[in-house]
Amino acid sequence: MAQRATQRPGRAEQLQFLRFLAFCLVYIWHADDWTFGFFSGGVGAACAVSFFFMLSGLVTGYTHFDDPVAVTPRAVGRYMWRKIRKLYPLYIFTMLFAVTSSKIPKLVAQHDFEALREPLKLLLRNALMIQSWFPADYFSYNGVGWFISAMIFMYLLTLPLLALAGKIRRSKRPAAGLCGLIAGFSLAATLYCYLMRGEMWEFFEYVFPVARMWEYAIGICLGFLTRLIRDRSPQPRPARRLLLTLAEVAVFALWIAMPYAPYQQWSLTIARWLLPNALLLLTFAVGEGGLSRVFRARPLVALGDLSFECFLLHGLIINRYTKDFAALQGGRAGNALRQTRQAGETLTRSSALGNAFNLLFCLMLTLMLARLIHGAKRPERLASPK
C-alpha cells in the first residue's frame, strides 16, 4: 500500500487548485461592491466554506489512512498543539492588524477606558480563538477568523473520528461501511440545519462549530474512501481515463452551477452543498482524469499553496483599500466585508472598469503578500485550509 503511493506521487496536487477556486468565491463575496450581477455572491461563498471544511477532513483522513490512532488526552493535546502552532502566528498577526480599523485606537486616545472594555473583550475572544462559540460579534476584527475558531473544534474531534474510520476500514466491507457513515453524517447535518432554521440561522447554521463538524467528519470518511479506491484500482487505461475525465467535468460543472440553483434558506450554508462538494472532492482526490492532470500544472498548484494565507489576508487588504479609496474620493466607504459593514455606508462605484480594476488589484496584492509570507518554505501539497 505504501509502495503504491510512492510509485504514484503527487496524485492529490489537483486539490490545491480547487482550494484556490474556493478561495476566489469567498474573495468575490467579500469584495462584492466591485463585482457584477452574474456572480454568485454569498451563495458561492457558502459553498466554498463548506468545501473547506470537507477538504480539511479529507486531507486528514487521506494522510492518516494507515496510521495507528491512540485516542488519549495526551495524544489529542499533542495533535492540537501541532496544528495551533502552525496556524497561529499568521492568524494573530491578521487579528492585531485588524485592530487598526477598530475602535480601540480612538478610545485609547480619548482615555475612554470604560468603553474600551467591550472591544478588548472581543479581542481576547479572538486571541483565544473562541469567537465562533458566541452568538454575537463572531465576525469581529478579521472577519474570517471565525473559521479558524471552528477548526480548533475540528482538531479536537480528529483522533476520535480517525479511530472510527479506521475501525470501519478494518471491517469486511470497508467501502460500504464508509459510505453508510457518510450517508449518516449527511442526514444528521441536514436534520440539524432544518431544526435550527429561524432568526439566528446565520450563527447556528454557519458559524457555530457544532454545525460544521458533520462536514469535517464526512471529509475524513471521503479521505479513507479515496485511499481504498486508489489502492485497489488498476492503472487507468485510455477508455477508463476518458470515463474518469467525463466524470470530473460533470461534477465540476455541477459544482459551478449549484450556487445559481434555487434554494431554501435553511439549506444555504451546509445542506445543499453536501452532495456536490462530496462528489467533487472524491472524484478529484482519486485524480485519474484529464481535468486532474490539468489542475496539477505547477502554476495552478502554486496558487493553491497560497490559499490559506490569501484567506486570512484578503479581508484586511480590501478594508484598507476601500477606506483609502474613499478618502481620496472625498466620500465615505463602508467595509467591503459584509460582516463588518456599518449601516448606510457603501463603497462609491465609479464605473465597470473601475470596479474591475479594484477587484483585480486587491486580488493581486493579496497574492503578492501571501507569497511573501509563504516564503521559501516547501509547500504542503495536501495541506488543509486549516
Side-chain angles (χ1 to χ4, degrees), residues 85-106:
R85 184 177 60 182
K86 189 174 182 179
L87 64 86
Y88 197 72
L90 181 58
Y91 168 81
I92 197 69
F93 168 79
T94 58
M95 185 201 74
L96 293 175
F97 187 87
V99 171
T100 63
S101 301
S102 72
K103 298 177 181 179
I104 291 179
K106 182 179 179 180

Side-chain angles (χ1 to χ4, degrees), residues 358-371:
N358 295 337
L359 187 72
L360 295 176
F361 186 73
C362 285
L363 179 59
M364 181 188 69
L365 289 178
T366 300
L367 287 168
M368 291 176 65
L369 184 56
R371 183 65 185 89

Side-chain angles (χ1 to χ4, degrees), residues 21-22 24-26 29 39-51 255-256 258-260 268 273:
L21 293 179
C24 287
L25 292 177
V26 175
W29 169 235
F39 286 119
S40 56
V43 182
C47 173
V49 171
S50 180
F51 172 87
W255 191 67
I256 296 297
M258 278 297 292
Y260 299 95
L268 173 61
W273 313 118

Side-chain angles (χ1 to χ4, degrees), residues 98-341:
V99 171
T100 63
S101 301
S102 72
K103 298 177 181 179
I104 291 179
K106 182 179 179 180
L107 292 175
V108 171
Q110 295 175 343
H111 296 184
D112 192 351
F113 299 114
E114 181 65 27
L116 193 61
R117 294 177 61 182
E118 184 63 24
L120 287 179
K121 182 176 72 174
L122 295 179
L123 187 66
L124 179 61
R125 286 182 189 173
N126 281 263
L128 296 176
M129 297 182 290
I130 58 174
Q131 66 269 38
S132 62
W133 293 94
F134 294 86
D137 300 309
Y138 34 77
F139 295 137
S140 56
Y141 298 99
N142 188 0
V144 299
W146 74 268
F147 179 87
I148 305 299
S149 174
M151 281 305 305
I152 298 301
F153 181 61
M154 306 307 140
Y155 297 150
L156 187 64
L157 300 177
T158 295
L159 295 188
L161 287 171
L162 286 174
L164 175 61
K167 185 176 181 179
I168 294 176
R169 179 179 71 87
R170 294 186 293 272
S171 66
K172 294 182 179 180
R173 301 180 62 186
L178 289 169
C179 289
L181 200 57
I182 290 171
F185 286 140
S186 299
L187 180 61
T190 302
L191 181 61
Y192 172 88
C193 290
Y194 184 76
L195 293 176
M196 291 294 113
R197 69 193 188 281
E199 293 183 0
M200 296 185 64
W201 71 271
E202 181 181 68
F203 173 69
F204 284 112
E205 296 186 29
Y206 187 66
V207 176
F208 193 42
V210 173
R212 313 311 305 227
M213 66 180 182
W214 315 107
E215 297 154 297
Y216 185 74
I218 291 170
I220 286 180
C221 294
L222 288 172
F224 272 67
L225 191 58
T226 299
R227 286 292 300 269
L228 286 176
I229 294 172
R230 284 188 49 196
D231 293 345
R232 295 180 180 182
S233 63
Q235 292 289 346
R237 296 180 178 180
R240 183 168 180 265
R241 188 180 296 278
L242 176 60
L243 291 175
L244 291 171
T245 299
L246 293 175
E248 288 180 351
V249 172
V251 297
F252 187 68
L254 174 66
W255 191 67
I256 296 297
M258 278 297 292
Y260 299 95
Y263 61 89
Q264 298 288 332
Q265 187 182 56
W266 64 267
S267 70
L268 173 61
T269 55
I270 297 174
R272 73 182 272 104
W273 313 118
L274 295 176
L275 181 60
N277 278 333
L279 290 175
L280 182 80
L281 285 169
L282 182 61
T283 305
F284 278 88
V286 173
E288 303 286 6
L291 199 55
S292 287
R293 180 178 295 184
V294 173
F295 286 178
R296 283 195 289 270
R298 184 170 297 179
L300 302 185
V301 174
L303 288 173
D305 290 337
L306 302 178
S307 297
F308 173 59
E309 290 84 355
C310 287
F311 183 74
L312 282 180
L313 292 169
H314 75 279
L316 305 178
I317 292 175
I318 292 171
N319 287 343
R320 177 56 56 189
Y321 186 86
T322 55
K323 290 183 177 181
D324 292 344
F325 178 83
L328 289 173
Q329 295 296 321
R332 302 176 66 199
N335 188 339
L337 289 172
R338 282 190 181 273
Q339 297 92 330
T340 55
R341 180 182 296 160

